[in-house]
Amino acid sequence: MGALLPSPGTLRRLSWLALLLLAPPLAALEVAGGVRLLRAADEQPADYPTVQAVQFMGQSLYRQSGGRLAIQVYSASLLGDEAALVPPTQRGELDLNRVSVQTLEDLCPALRVLSLPFLFRDVEHLGRVLDGPIGAELLQALDGHGLVGLAFFETGGRVIGTVGRPVRRLEDLKGLKIRVESSALAAAIVEAWGARPVRLPFSQTGNALATRLIDGAEGNLLAYAGAEHHRHAPSLALTRHSFAPEVLVISRRSWDRLSTAEQGMLRRAAREARPLVRDIWQQREERVEAMLRLAGVNFVEIPASERARFEAALQPLHERLAGGAGQRRLIARIRALR
């Protein structure tokens, strides 16, 4: 009788665990033997602001704990794309995971409000929301889903890069295949604009643009530049339709293995990292925009009259998502914040 072979799902999980255990560390901290390392994943490259922030947290944690606890960051999708890493994080196979709130909206519907189009006036408005009671409530909403929310990171307004014709008017999106994150809301937004949403892992987006599998991609400016999507999609429509932030989560199982003092250290490090991301992001956006303009990227500003048409097309979506009394109250609190 032949040996029983593991199922394909089991093989994939074993392969993932092997990579987690054997992958070479990136920007490794110089720590003495015996230090406990929390393993963190990010699909963005090593110089991306959120990666730098978690590296900063690792250094802070190392200092606070007297060299007993630190963070090792695996960036550039080394362990996989963020959506695929959510279940391993819930299971405790990965400690920390930086993900877009759009990735978590099905798991934790309360977070969906942060991705609603045209809800935030600008990134400063979003920052005031995240820094206050609403942000704390939304982080707490992750409890019960196998995750603990540590911090939100602002990532600027979302834009649309296209391969062919630039998007200047709502009609220019009609029929285009636009890559979106693994998010029902993101797909519904571009669909309401007449485009065809295509859900793809971020790591596959560049190749899909190069081969014209898709006509464009929706995302933030630094991700667009960092993955060199401008080489294939040189027109950038500055719709700034959403300011969906990113969130750093830790596995509930990993969290429970930390002492109360260590949990406090980690929360302190996360609080300190928030303004760091904000500052790095603002400075990086200015430099990246200048670089992209020199590279020939066509930045398309959307005039107020046309922006109003983009927003009006999404009104039915807003009404559907704001159907519950709790959701409507939350949206009203966000809009009222000055």
Side-chain angles (χ1 to χ4, degrees):
M1 181 176 177
L4 291 175
L5 295 176
S7 68
T10 302
L11 286 172
R12 282 194 298 271
R13 186 172 171 188
L14 289 172
S15 298
W16 188 92
L17 285 170
L19 177 59
L20 182 60
L21 292 169
L22 300 175
L26 303 180
L29 294 166
E30 293 185 7
V31 294
V35 66
R36 292 163 59 205
L37 286 174
L38 297 174
R39 295 178 177 181
D42 198 306
E43 66 182 13
Q44 298 295 344
D47 65 347
Y48 195 76
T50 58
V51 177
Q52 293 184 333
V54 179
Q55 289 172 342
F56 164 83
M57 286 176 58
Q59 295 164 358
S60 172
L61 199 58
Y62 184 66
R63 288 193 301 270
Q64 291 183 71
S65 67
R68 296 188 301 275
L69 190 63
I71 298 172
Q72 179 62 63
V73 184
Y74 295 85
S75 58
S77 295
L78 183 62
L79 300 181
D81 288 285
E82 61 181 42
L85 293 180
V86 171
T89 308
Q90 292 174 291
R91 294 192 295 264
E93 295 162 5
L94 177 67
D95 301 305
L96 294 155
N97 193 3
R98 193 285 307 157
V99 299
S100 166
V101 293
Q102 293 186 340
T103 299
L104 295 177
E105 67 181 30
D106 289 335
L107 177 69
C108 183
L111 293 180
R112 185 176 287 119
V113 70
L114 295 176
S115 302
L116 285 177
F118 302 106
L119 176 60
F120 298 98
R121 294 182 292 276
D122 48 38
V123 72
E124 288 77 19
H125 179 205
L126 171 64
R128 288 192 293 276
V129 170
L130 298 181
D131 286 339
I134 295 175
E137 291 167 21
L138 290 173
L139 281 179
Q140 196 168 17
L142 285 162
D143 287 355
H145 299 287
L147 303 170
V148 174
L150 293 176
F152 287 114
F153 298 138
E154 297 97 309
T155 55
R158 298 180 78 83
V159 295
I160 300 175
T162 51
V163 175
R165 65 176 184 259
V167 172
R168 295 189 172 91
R169 303 171 67 245
L170 187 58
E171 289 77 8
D172 293 331
L173 277 168
K174 188 173 180 59
L176 295 186
K177 298 188 292 280
I178 303 295
R179 181 266 173 183
V180 297
E181 293 190 21
S182 180
S183 157
L185 175 58
I189 289 172
V190 300
E191 201 165 37
W193 287 339
R196 296 166 55 191
V198 179
R199 299 191 196 189
L200 273 180
F202 182 77
S203 60
Q204 298 176 21
T205 303
N207 186 58
L209 289 168
T211 58
R212 299 297 294 265
L213 177 66
I214 56 176
D215 302 301
E218 181 263 6
N220 68 61
L221 182 65
L222 296 196
Y224 167 83
E228 299 190 334
H229 291 169
H230 63 284
R231 295 184 180 276
H232 312 295
S235 289
L236 198 62
L238 304 180
T239 52
R240 300 187 182 96
H241 53 280
S242 171
F243 288 88
E246 295 171 346
V247 60
L248 180 67
V249 297
I250 182 171
S251 167
R252 166 59 70 178
R253 293 186 179 185
S254 300
W255 179 257
D256 290 342
R257 286 195 290 266
L258 298 175
S259 69
T260 301
E262 290 169 337
Q263 291 173 355
M265 293 175 196
L266 188 56
R267 286 205 183 277
R268 188 176 304 114
R271 283 197 305 271
E272 293 169 351
R274 273 196 36 71
L276 176 68
V277 170
R278 199 175 290 163
D279 291 344
I280 294 175
W281 194 277
Q282 183 177 356
Q283 296 169 17
R284 189 73 56 80
E285 264 197 344
E286 293 171 358
R287 293 201 303 270
V288 163
E289 180 175 343
M291 179 272 290
L292 291 174
R293 288 187 185 276
L294 286 174
V297 170
N298 178 24
F299 281 74
V300 182
E301 288 285 355
I302 308 296
S305 59
E306 193 60 32
R307 183 178 170 83
R309 295 184 65 223
F310 276 83
E311 185 171 359
L314 299 176
Q315 191 58 39
L317 182 63
H318 258 279
E319 292 172 357
R320 187 169 79 245
L321 291 174
Q327 187 90 343
R328 288 197 301 271
R329 284 195 297 270
L330 182 56
I331 291 171
R333 288 170 64 195
I334 290 172
R335 285 182 169 149
L337 191 63
R338 300 291 169 181

